[in-house]
């Protein structure tokens, strides 16, 4: 079998992808690709949390005793830190998701043009949006650290 | 259902979640900042029983939870299915995983909606 046929067979069988390793290989896509990797990891963390959350919160239907027993199990410094990580995951996922929705709707990609050589890329139009969400995200994370860990005092 | 329709629902749910989950996260984890949305008595915790049950009995909160739950489940589980499908090399396996996720989503929705409704209507609490 010649090499072209082998490649065609792999693509048809979907063996040509890089698999999970491909998540961590940004190649020349750089920042947007890393944003995509972080988006996936935070998304997976949140769906796992949502499933657990439905069962934990469901305890309230069993009454006060069951609720307090559940809270005593999960109110520890470790769980509090995990909840903080969840909050950070939400901030990152939501802001990057907003960026993806804007791009999906055709914002920040420039005007469409015919594919004439030398080809134009929309990276220069998209990149400022990535920097903007990184700045806004950093601001929200700093505010969250301050408030979550009560750095300004209070209970 | 076409992939394009599923994708449009996915990003629509994402947009709704930015607002709803943002308010929920803020009210639960940053109560001093989000007191405009969910005021708590001074020094009380959003997860203490009295606060939990007062939210559960509030008709607006109940309605929000009932919208929030399917939106979050659809967005999260559709995203999960996409991640898993990308790692699989068989379209047949994709479909099987897809149906398992759909059934899990329905079961989670039924359980979540049931406990939310029981907490809302049960006068003994």
């Amino acid at each position: 079998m010649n090499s072209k046929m082998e490649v065609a067979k792999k693509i048809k069988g979907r063996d040509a992808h890089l698999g999970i390793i491909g998540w961590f290989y940004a190649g020349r896509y750089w920042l947007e690709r890393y944003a995509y990797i972080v988006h996936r990891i935070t998304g997976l963390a949140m769906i796992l949390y949502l499933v657990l959350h439905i069962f934990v919160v469901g305890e309230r239907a069993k009454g006060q005793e069951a609720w307090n027993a559940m809270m005593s199990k999960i109110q520890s410094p470790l769980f509090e830190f995990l909840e903080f990580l969840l909050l950070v995951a939400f901030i990152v996922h939501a802001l990057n998701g907003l960026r993806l929705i804007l791009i999906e709707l055709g914002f920040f990609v420039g005007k469409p043009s015919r594919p004439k050589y030398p080809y134009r890329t929309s990276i220069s139009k998209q990149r400022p949006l990535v920097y903007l969400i990184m700045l806004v995200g950093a601001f929200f994370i700093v505010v969250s650290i301050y408030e979550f860990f009560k750095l300004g005092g209070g209970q | 259902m076409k992939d394009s329709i599923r994708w449009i629902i996915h990003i629509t749910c994402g947009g709704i979640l930015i607002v709803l989950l943002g308010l929920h996260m803020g009210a639960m984890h940053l109560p001093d900042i989000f007191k405009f949305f969910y005021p708590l008595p001074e020094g009380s915790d959003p997860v203490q029983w009295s606060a939990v049950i007062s939210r559960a009995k509030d008709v607006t909160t109940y309605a929000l939870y009932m919208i929030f739950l399917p939106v979050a489940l659809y967005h999260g589980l559709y995203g999960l299915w996409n991640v898993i499908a990308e790692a699989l090399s068989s379209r047949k396996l994709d479909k099987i995983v897809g149906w398992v996720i759909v059934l899990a989503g329905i079961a989670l929705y039924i359980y979540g909606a049931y406990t939310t409704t029981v907490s809302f209507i049960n006068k003994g609490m």
Side-chain angles (χ1 to χ4, degrees):
Chain A
M1 193 186 293
N2 67 35
S3 61
K4 267 189 181 175
M5 281 174 75
E6 271 179 41
V7 170
K9 196 181 170 194
K10 273 187 175 179
I11 291 170
K12 203 177 172 190
R14 300 206 294 176
D15 287 336
H17 63 79
L18 291 167
I20 303 288
I21 296 161
W23 289 20
F24 302 95
Y25 176 68
R28 64 195 179 92
Y29 294 103
W30 198 57
L31 204 51
E32 284 77 7
R33 178 73 183 186
Y34 285 116
Y36 154 89
I37 295 160
V38 172
H39 198 75
R40 285 205 148 181
I41 293 168
T42 52
L44 288 174
M46 285 196 293
I47 187 66
L48 175 67
Y49 180 84
L50 175 64
V51 174
L52 297 174
H53 191 58
I54 288 172
F55 288 104
V56 169
V57 172
E59 288 296 295
R60 74 177 187 267
K62 296 177 189 166
Q64 186 171 3
E65 244 176 59
W67 177 260
N68 288 341
M70 178 56 82
M71 286 302 108
S72 66
K73 274 185 208 160
I74 61 169
Q75 280 184 329
S76 67
L78 174 68
F79 273 98
E80 268 194 32
F81 184 67
L82 290 175
E83 280 192 344
F84 171 72
L85 289 185
L86 184 83
L87 184 60
V88 172
F90 166 70
I91 292 168
V92 171
H93 196 87
L95 287 171
N96 192 52
L98 185 63
R99 179 182 73 86
L100 294 174
I101 291 173
L102 289 172
I103 287 172
E104 180 87 17
L105 296 175
F107 297 102
F108 299 96
V109 287
K111 285 184 180 171
S113 61
R114 290 190 182 281
K116 281 182 190 165
Y117 190 80
Y119 305 120
R120 287 168 57 213
T121 167
S122 69
I123 285 291
S124 60
K125 309 264 185 208
Q126 290 188 36
R127 192 60 51 83
L129 187 59
V130 182
Y131 292 139
L132 180 68
I133 64 142
M134 286 170 78
L135 271 176
V136 175
F139 170 75
F140 282 138
I141 291 168
V142 169
V143 170
S144 301
I145 291 171
Y146 189 81
E147 172 64 16
F148 196 93
F149 297 107
K150 303 289 177 201
L151 299 183
Q155 291 188 332
Chain B
M1 194 190 288
K2 280 183 181 177
D3 276 351
S4 57
I5 305 281
R6 285 198 286 250
W7 176 248
I8 289 167
I9 299 172
H10 179 70
I11 59 170
T12 307
C13 289
I16 295 168
L17 283 174
I18 291 173
V19 179
L20 287 185
L21 191 54
L23 288 170
H24 179 70
M25 285 279 204
M28 292 300 109
H29 302 296
L30 312 170
D32 288 347
I33 295 174
F34 280 78
K35 55 188 168 196
F36 69 91
F37 171 66
Y38 177 58
L40 267 176
E42 193 67 33
S44 63
D45 191 333
V47 294
Q48 74 186 41
W49 177 252
S50 57
V52 169
I53 216 65
S54 91
R55 279 197 305 277
K57 300 283 179 205
D58 178 53
V59 68
T60 313
T61 314
Y62 173 72
L64 273 177
Y65 282 160
M66 295 305 273
I67 298 167
F68 194 9
L69 184 61
V71 167
L73 280 171
Y74 181 89
H75 184 82
L77 293 176
Y78 181 76
L80 176 69
W81 179 66
N82 271 322
V83 171
I84 295 174
E86 195 184 277
L88 298 174
S89 56
S90 143
R91 289 184 199 281
K92 202 175 173 186
L93 215 52
D94 278 7
K95 279 204 164 181
I96 295 168
V97 170
W99 278 109
V100 170
I101 288 176
V102 166
L103 292 176
I106 292 169
L108 285 167
Y109 176 73
I110 291 171
Y111 181 73
Y114 166 75
T115 55
T116 307
T117 306
V118 165
S119 314
F120 177 65
I121 59 174
N122 193 340
K123 288 188 169 48
M125 285 180 172

